[in-house]
Amino acid sequence: MAELPVPELPATLSRCSGRFTISTLLGTEEGGWGPYAATEGAGCDSAHPTHLSGSTLCTRTFGYNTVDVVPAYEHYANSKGVGDARKGRPSLADLHSILKPDPGRLHPPVSSPQRSNGLPEAGPEEATGEPGRDPMPEPVRFGWVKGVMIRCMLNIWGVILYLRLPWITAQAGIALTWLIILMSVTVTTITGLSISAISTNGKVKSGGTYFLISRSLGPELGGSIGLIFAFANAVAVAMHTVGFAETVRDLLQEHNSLIVDPTNDIRIIGVVTVTVLLGISLAGMEWEAKAQILFFLVILVSFINYLVGTVIPATAEKQSKGFFSYRADIFAQNFVPNWRGPEGSFFGLFSIFFPSATGILAGANISGDLKDPAVAIPKGTLMAIFWTTVSYLVLSATIGACVVRDASGSLNDSVAVGSVGCEGLACSFGWNFTACAQRQSCRYGLSNYYQSMSMVSGFGPLITAGIFGATLSSALACLVSAPKVFQCLCRDQLYPLIGFFGKGYGRNSEPIRGYMLTYIIAVGFILIAELNAIAPIISNFFLCSYALINFSCFHASITNSPGWRPSFRYYSKWAALFGAAVSVVIMFLLTWWAALIAFGIVIFLLGYVLYKKPDVNWGSSMQASSYNMALNYSVGLSEVDEHIKNYRPQCLVLTGPPNFRPALVDFVGTFTKNLSLMLCGNVLIGPRKQKMPESRLTADGHTKWLTKRKIKAFYTDVVAEDLRNGVQMLIQAAGLGKMRPNILVLGYKRNWRTASPQSLEDYVGILHDAFDFKYGVCLMRMKEGLNVSRVMQAHVNPTFDAAEHAEENGTGGRAAPGTADSATLASEQQASTIFQSDQGKKTIDIYWLFDDGGLTLLIPYLLGRKKRWGKCKIRVFVGGQINRMDEERKAIVSLLSKFRLGFQEVHILPDINQKPRPEHIKRFDDLIAPFRLNDGFKDEATVNEMRQGCPWKISDEEVDKNRAKSLRQVRLNEILLDYSRDAALIAITLPIGRKGRCPSSLYMAWLETLSQDLRPPIILTRGNQENVLTFYCQ
């Protein structure tokens, strides 16, 4: 395909920043360059590029200028919710609507050309600064070796490497020791793979383990793990420091140089040591990293020193302690287990060794200080696991091939090879350790001497230096990890009273306050010096983190969310699930009571966050899982056949803005809560172009308002030319599968006499539409009315004129001027209604006048099951003949008992067909007088001609034909006033006006007459004439 010719571009305008300005587009489209024509990066749809509008990368790419922009990093940076407006990218309206000048968008910031299509040099966190100040210096960032691998290796290596691994080899043998090592590494490797997957699924910021778990599983689990993980790291500082202090104390004891006494020496040395480590941390991450490299070199030298010692011929002194250099028969004997003591079991030794395989999160915990966490965390963590595993296996095999299990350490135990009475492998090497081995009193050998590595090594003090390096490096790593994790948790504000510690200082945003808090915790536990009791709990806290990291990876994979796209592919969701399960099992293998305590603390913190429901949205896998579950259940529900026993009143409530009609919302919300679907519908009347922005602006706010009011409902709105068309859309389109409304709930139109005739026609037409679509109808009237919008507007806007907005129809429709945005809606004061208060021992009166399938009975029954209405007595009134009252009452009582509704009080109304009082009849006649056609009983054709353009008018013949039904409504109102004046609620069967035979004004006159002058709320209900109650069990 031939390229379109593009003129040579000036050098100054040779790039496209990916941004555009509306003003330039307008100026160019109008045929002139205008005052904004020279804005960089502008463009417009044009057949022939000019030297200004065509001077963009877009032009060079596509051959013509366009409003569209090329893909760029900043268009996607920091995007959170779906539909967030992205800086620099044109909106749909900019692309397909007629452009109009917008002063607010004439001069948008133009990005640097050098960074328009590439990654920025620093993220939003690092680029923050206050105006007027010098820019912050570049923060220190580490690569995968210095930042992750070395740090993880130092944290994994510990005292157990030097003091316990030889003893474990003696107990379990080389074979089972390797099995213990490989089992432990399997768990940490699976966890490392899970960390790698999570950390490569998007940009990782500071917060380490807490950040990874919280952004994956959500704030509930992430917050609880973040808090206990930070605390565990703080206490681990004390544990590692005490390990160092004990080693120093032992050296002082050997030379009789104790400072005070053995216990207080540990405290003194420990406090001094942790203070020095704090100074290194406060000096900055660069100094801390240098200290870690120093410790790493010390450990490497000590390890090399040990390996060199194994090949140096053994001296007589070393042979007396059990070291004979590499011997095949020693390797063979130590290859099999030799269990001794109470801890001599496979899982006993596994529980001792496993903590030495942990520490793989040290690199991830400083994720905010890494150059590229997505590369550094996977590479560094997995390499650290590999090299430390090799070191453990090599150490176990080499020392198992050099040192016998028992040795006396006495030079006098040397004998001639093959001496009589000498038992054991050492006899073949000229040493007789039989006596101490039989008495189990040997002081040396793998099974008895923890310092075997020091004894074997070429220079013993270097092993001591290695122990110092291992303990101090682990303490320093935990001292850095705890504040970094805690800082991120504090900034998220999931828990109260901790926000103070979220402040960062310096170019690396160092959590100095967090360092001081960690220091205080560490010193406190060093002074307590009772770490043996708390150490198992700390180990279980780390294992909790492993379990949740693995579960995070599994859960994110199993939800099939399109947002789960880790660039690290070498993981398995089933392996992650296995790792999570094994981590929990190991928790109970280590210390079952500590596991229970750890779970208890996690559950308590989880419950707190669930209760507080923090306002955060991190796109967690829990959100994806909720969608999956809802989708699967909704699709599965479509395959379930409907049955009367499973009938639920699923309500489409015409609330308009829900905060305008809180009583209607509360009424339906009361009986649908945790039971069935409630959908609040709002019809925005007007041009779509004008109303769509209003819909987008307020929809989220209405949902939040419902949530704040604790109403479990959905909100939806439609834009329509008139109210009736909008409601028809809602009736036909609302719902999903079997979760579709079957009842239309709306408020009573109080102003029907003064409203426009067309709105009256639309209101009654909505009722007819509902019946046409096989909906039940529930119509609610309250004496004080339902619409509180005038009160709200008067409170928000004192100049609001209530007379201009007197329309109150209970069906939604146009919102009042000045509709609040989502934030205002969510924070506005909640109006109180009768349905939020306890009703005491009043009555709920049901007038079941016509059989509509049972809906008139069902809704009051569901209402009576709620706590606020539970004390109310339910009374049922039915029509009957005076000479058959007992029989009819027994028949209704029998029917109700079969329905198992618990309604015991039944009243027969024998006088329902009596003629109303004359004054009430006159009041009804006066009510319909303004709407009468007064045609003098002319023929139907003449009446239709006279009523053309005003179908709500009532002809004389219609008044005459419906006279009996009209008088019945008058009489029913008298009965309601007699029997139910003091009821808490009245439910009555809604009369139906035949379509085309009952004008809307006459029908509204019936409803007005039936429900007027009543103090309690009245619910006029009519089912769709299909059963909603049954007394059969199948």
Side-chain angles (χ1 to χ4, degrees):
M1 184 172 65
E3 294 184 1
L4 294 175
V6 180
E8 191 69 29
L9 304 177
T12 57
L13 296 173
S14 61
R15 290 182 180 268
C16 173
S17 67
R19 309 232 180 227
F20 70 104
T21 57
I22 300 298
S23 55
T24 306
L25 303 177
L26 287 170
T28 310
E29 281 189 344
E30 289 168 4
W33 298 335
Y36 309 109
T39 304
E40 182 184 357
C44 66
D45 290 319
S46 170
H48 303 287
T50 67
H51 75 281
L52 286 174
S53 64
S55 59
T56 63
L57 178 62
C58 314
T59 305
R60 290 184 292 148
T61 303
F62 300 107
Y64 70 97
N65 207 353
T66 175
V67 174
D68 269 336
V69 294
V70 294
Y73 171 85
E74 57 264 29
H75 299 165
Y76 297 90
N78 289 324
S79 52
K80 295 178 182 177
V82 175
D84 280 359
R86 296 270 45 87
K87 194 180 296 183
R89 179 192 298 151
S91 67
L92 275 175
D94 295 324
L95 293 174
H96 76 81
S97 299
I98 297 175
L99 291 170
K100 294 181 180 179
D102 184 353
R105 297 182 62 176
L106 291 180
H107 301 285
V110 179
S111 63
S112 170
Q114 285 77 14
R115 290 170 54 186
S116 62
N117 268 313
L119 297 178
E121 296 172 8
E125 279 189 336
E126 299 84 4
T128 55
E130 295 183 14
R133 292 190 178 185
D134 294 334
M136 293 287 291
E138 281 294 314
V140 178
R141 292 285 184 260
F142 305 114
W144 70 272
V145 176
K146 192 175 178 181
V148 181
M149 189 185 79
I150 291 178
R151 191 175 298 273
C152 287
M153 290 178 72
L154 288 171
N155 218 22
I156 293 170
W157 282 330
V159 179
I160 291 176
L161 170 70
Y162 294 96
L163 302 184
R164 290 294 184 271
L165 189 56
W167 174 77
I168 292 173
T169 303
Q171 288 267 5
I174 296 173
L176 291 184
T177 300
W178 276 40
L179 181 60
I180 288 173
I181 294 170
L182 293 175
M183 283 177 60
S184 302
V185 169
T186 298
V187 177
T188 55
T189 303
I190 291 173
T191 308
L193 295 175
S194 298
I195 293 172
S196 303
I198 296 172
S199 62
T200 58
N201 189 52
K203 186 176 180 180
V204 178
K205 299 182 181 178
S206 61
T209 306
Y210 160 70
F211 184 89
L212 295 176
I213 296 177
S214 62
R215 270 49 175 185
S216 182
L217 283 180
E220 296 84 7
L221 281 170
S224 56
I225 282 297
L227 201 57
I228 66 171
F229 188 77
F231 177 75
N233 273 284
V235 179
V237 175
M239 291 175 58
H240 294 302
T241 305
V242 167
F244 168 78
E246 285 179 347
T247 308
V248 175
R249 189 271 318 267
D250 292 342
L251 289 174
L252 292 175
Q253 262 183 328
E254 284 183 21
H255 297 88
N256 296 319
S257 302
L258 287 176
I259 304 172
V260 182
D261 58 66
T263 303
N264 284 317
D265 278 14
I266 292 176
R267 291 170 175 160
I268 294 169
I269 297 168
V271 170
V272 171
T273 303
V274 80
T275 304
V276 173
L277 294 178
L278 175 68
I280 295 173
S281 301
L282 292 178
M285 288 297 296
E286 198 167 0
W287 284 96
E288 187 268 347
K290 290 176 180 177
Q292 293 285 31
I293 291 176
L294 177 62
F295 293 141
F296 182 71
L297 293 175
V298 169
I299 293 175
L300 283 184
V301 170
S302 72
F303 199 73
I304 293 170
N305 170 55
Y306 157 75
L307 291 176
V308 170
T310 61
V311 297
I312 296 176
T315 62
E317 182 184 357
K318 286 188 177 183
Q319 287 184 355
S320 69
K321 295 179 180 180
F323 172 61
F324 298 99
S325 293
Y326 290 105
R327 300 293 177 98
D329 44 1
I330 296 178
F331 181 85
Q333 186 185 56
N334 288 337
F335 191 78
V336 294
N338 181 20
W339 309 113
R340 298 184 187 181
E343 295 171 331
S345 66
F346 181 81
F347 285 108
L349 295 178
F350 178 81
S351 65
I352 292 172
F353 174 80
F354 183 79
S356 67
T358 60
I360 61 172
L361 301 178
N365 285 337
I366 64 160
S367 54
D369 297 298
L370 300 175
K371 289 179 183 176
D372 188 355
V375 173
I377 292 176
K379 199 171 181 180
T381 303
L382 295 175
M383 289 299 289
I385 293 173
F386 173 76
W387 287 118
T388 51
T389 302
V390 170
S391 67
Y392 284 141
L393 295 174
V394 168
L395 176 61
S396 173
T398 54
I399 204 160
C402 296
V403 185
V404 295
R405 284 192 169 104
D406 293 298
S408 64
S410 173
L411 293 173
N412 297 325
D413 288 339
S414 62
V415 295
V417 176
S419 298
V420 179
C422 182
E423 298 178 2
L425 186 61
C427 297
S428 59
F429 307 135
W431 292 88
N432 184 6
F433 303 136
T434 307
C436 72
Q438 290 177 345
R439 293 195 303 268
Q440 294 188 353
S441 60
C442 295
R443 292 179 55 199
Y444 294 93
L446 282 183
S447 295
N448 310 295
Y449 189 46
Y450 289 154
Q451 302 283 353
S452 294
M453 271 191 73
S454 181
M455 181 264 293
V456 170
S457 66
F459 184 59
L462 282 179
I463 299 298
T464 304
I467 295 174
F468 288 173
T471 52
L472 292 178
S473 64
S474 296
L476 186 57
C478 292
L479 183 58
V480 170
S481 296
K484 295 279 185 182
V485 171
F486 192 58
Q487 182 185 38
C488 184
L489 178 64
C490 295
R491 286 176 171 174
D492 288 338
Q493 298 180 340
L494 300 183
Y495 297 102
L497 308 177
I498 62 173
F500 173 79
F501 298 100
K503 184 173 175 58
Y505 297 86
R507 56 183 178 176
N508 273 56
S509 190
E510 296 289 348
I512 293 178
R513 296 173 180 176
Y515 282 132
M516 300 309 298
L517 178 63
T518 305
Y519 173 76
I520 292 169
I521 294 173
V523 169
F525 279 99
I526 289 171
L527 296 178
I528 292 171
E530 288 293 335
L531 292 178
N532 288 338
I534 200 167
I537 300 177
I538 302 307
S539 296
N540 276 299
F541 281 170
F542 286 121
L543 277 168
C544 267
S545 304
Y546 288 6
L548 280 178
I549 285 173
N550 284 311
F551 183 74
S552 299
C553 181
F554 166 75
H555 197 262
S557 303
I558 206 72
T559 54
N560 293 322
S561 172
W564 174 250
R565 303 185 302 274
S567 55
F568 183 86
R569 300 289 184 183
Y570 306 103
Y571 72 96
S572 165
K573 60 185 175 185
W574 302 114
L577 180 62
F578 173 76
V582 170
S583 298
V584 174
V585 170
I586 293 174
M587 288 176 66
F588 285 93
L589 283 178
L590 292 180
T591 322
W592 65 267
W593 58 265
L596 292 177
I597 292 174
F599 273 116
I601 295 173
V602 170
I603 290 171
F604 172 77
L605 296 173
L606 171 67
Y608 176 82
V609 179
L610 283 172
Y611 173 75
K612 294 296 289 183
K613 293 182 180 176
D615 187 18
V616 295
N617 180 16
W618 295 329
S620 68
S621 62
M622 287 297 180
Q623 294 171 311
S625 177
S626 298
Y627 177 85
N628 273 5
M629 290 175 62
L631 180 63
N632 290 334
Y633 282 126
S634 298
V635 172
L637 193 62
S638 299
E639 301 171 3
V640 176
D641 293 333
E642 294 181 354
H643 194 283
I644 300 171
K645 286 200 302 181
N646 293 325
Y647 173 85
R648 293 169 186 261
Q650 303 189 113
C651 300
L652 170 60
V653 192
L654 300 184
T655 58
N659 57 323
F660 281 12
R661 294 172 180 82
L664 193 62
V665 170
D666 290 340
F667 163 64
V668 180
T670 301
F671 70 82
T672 58
K673 187 175 183 179
N674 299 326
L675 176 81
S676 59
L677 174 70
M678 174 180 174
L679 200 154
C680 296
N682 182 18
V683 180
L684 299 171
I685 302 173
R688 184 177 60 183
K689 188 175 181 181
Q690 176 186 338
K691 290 297 178 178
M692 283 304 295
E694 179 183 322
S695 171
R696 287 192 294 266
L697 180 69
T698 60
D700 188 49
H702 290 312
T703 301
K704 289 180 178 178
W705 183 89
L706 290 167
T707 303
K708 184 178 179 181
R709 202 172 180 85
K710 297 182 179 178
I711 299 294
K712 295 188 175 182
F714 298 98
Y715 169 83
T716 186
D717 53 31
V718 294
V719 177
E721 295 179 358
D722 58 64
L723 180 63
R724 186 173 181 183
N725 279 330
V727 174
Q728 286 175 347
M729 293 180 196
L730 287 172
I731 289 175
Q732 294 180 83
L736 182 70
K738 292 288 178 69
M739 294 184 64
R740 298 179 62 86
N742 49 30
I743 299 174
L744 182 71
V745 183
L746 67 165
Y748 177 70
K749 187 174 178 65
R750 296 177 70 203
N751 65 336
W752 65 275
R753 282 171 288 180
T754 57
S756 67
Q758 187 56 49
S759 69
L760 171 63
E761 194 74 11
D762 284 348
Y763 181 80
V764 177
I766 288 170
L767 301 181
H768 289 307
D769 293 337
F771 291 131
D772 287 340
F773 288 109
K774 300 284 286 183
Y775 271 55
V777 171
C778 188
L779 193 150
M780 179 179 177
R781 180 177 187 180
M782 295 181 67
K783 186 175 183 180
E784 61 274 19
L786 295 172
N787 195 334
V788 298
S789 60
R790 286 174 293 170
V791 178
M792 291 169 52
Q793 289 290 341
H795 175 72
V796 175
N797 178 14
T799 63
F800 176 76
D801 186 0
E804 294 180 7
H805 308 284
E807 180 177 2
E808 183 177 341
N809 55 28
T811 56
R814 55 179 66 86
T819 301
D821 60 16
S822 60
T824 308
L825 284 169
S827 61
E828 77 174 23
Q829 187 175 358
Q830 299 277 341
S832 178
T833 68
I834 185 176
F835 296 98
Q836 291 181 316
S837 57
D838 195 302
Q839 298 302 310
K841 295 184 178 181
K842 297 179 182 178
T843 63
I844 298 176
D845 291 349
I846 304 173
Y847 288 82
W848 195 24
L849 305 179
F850 303 100
D851 189 353
D852 61 346
L855 187 63
T856 307
L857 294 173
L858 182 61
I859 290 178
Y861 165 73
L862 296 174
L863 202 63
R865 288 179 12 176
K866 301 302 179 180
K867 186 177 179 181
R868 293 190 179 104
W869 297 80
K871 295 179 183 178
C872 291
K873 181 170 64 174
I874 298 181
R875 303 188 299 179
V876 179
F877 297 84
V878 294
Q881 300 175 14
I882 194 167
N883 57 344
R884 299 184 66 248
M885 284 181 60
D886 289 340
E887 292 88 339
E888 291 182 352
R889 184 182 181 281
K890 287 179 182 178
I892 294 298
V893 169
S894 175
L895 179 60
L896 293 177
S897 67
K898 286 183 172 63
F899 287 145
R900 306 173 306 284
L901 297 173
F903 300 162
Q904 300 299 328
E905 190 169 338
V906 177
H907 297 269
I908 303 298
L909 302 173
D911 52 353
I912 196 170
N913 289 319
Q914 288 185 2
K915 191 174 182 180
R917 290 196 286 271
E919 62 270 23
H920 293 158
I921 297 174
K922 183 178 184 305
R923 183 171 62 177
F924 175 79
D925 290 336
D926 293 341
L927 183 64
I928 64 172
F931 302 95
R932 293 191 62 168
L933 199 58
N934 296 318
D935 57 291
F937 293 95
K938 290 185 171 61
D939 59 89
E940 186 175 351
T942 306
V943 169
N944 289 337
E945 187 177 344
M946 294 175 64
R947 197 156 50 185
Q948 192 171 5
C950 49
W952 56 86
K953 289 285 188 177
I954 313 168
S955 68
D956 293 343
E957 185 176 359
E958 288 167 338
V959 172
D960 186 59
K961 283 185 176 180
N962 291 291
R963 190 64 177 174
K965 198 168 185 178
S966 301
L967 294 180
R968 188 190 302 140
Q969 313 311 319
V970 179
R971 177 57 188 154
L972 283 173
N973 179 253
E974 294 176 350
I975 292 173
L976 294 178
L977 290 170
D978 289 341
Y979 288 94
S980 302
R981 190 182 298 271
D982 298 320
L985 181 78
I986 301 172
I988 187 170
T989 307
L990 175 73
I992 292 182
R994 192 170 295 277
K995 188 165 57 173
R997 290 289 181 264
C998 178
S1000 55
S1001 54
L1002 178 60
Y1003 183 71
M1004 289 304 299
W1006 290 349
L1007 301 185
E1008 176 74 26
T1009 301
L1010 177 62
S1011 58
Q1012 65 187 354
D1013 299 334
L1014 292 168
R1015 184 196 60 79
I1018 180 167
I1019 312 297
L1020 296 99
T1021 308
R1022 171 67 73 160
N1024 63 359
Q1025 301 304 111
E1026 293 181 0
N1027 288 353
V1028 300
L1029 296 173
T1030 180
F1031 42 76
Y1032 294 110
C1033 61
Q1034 65 178 17

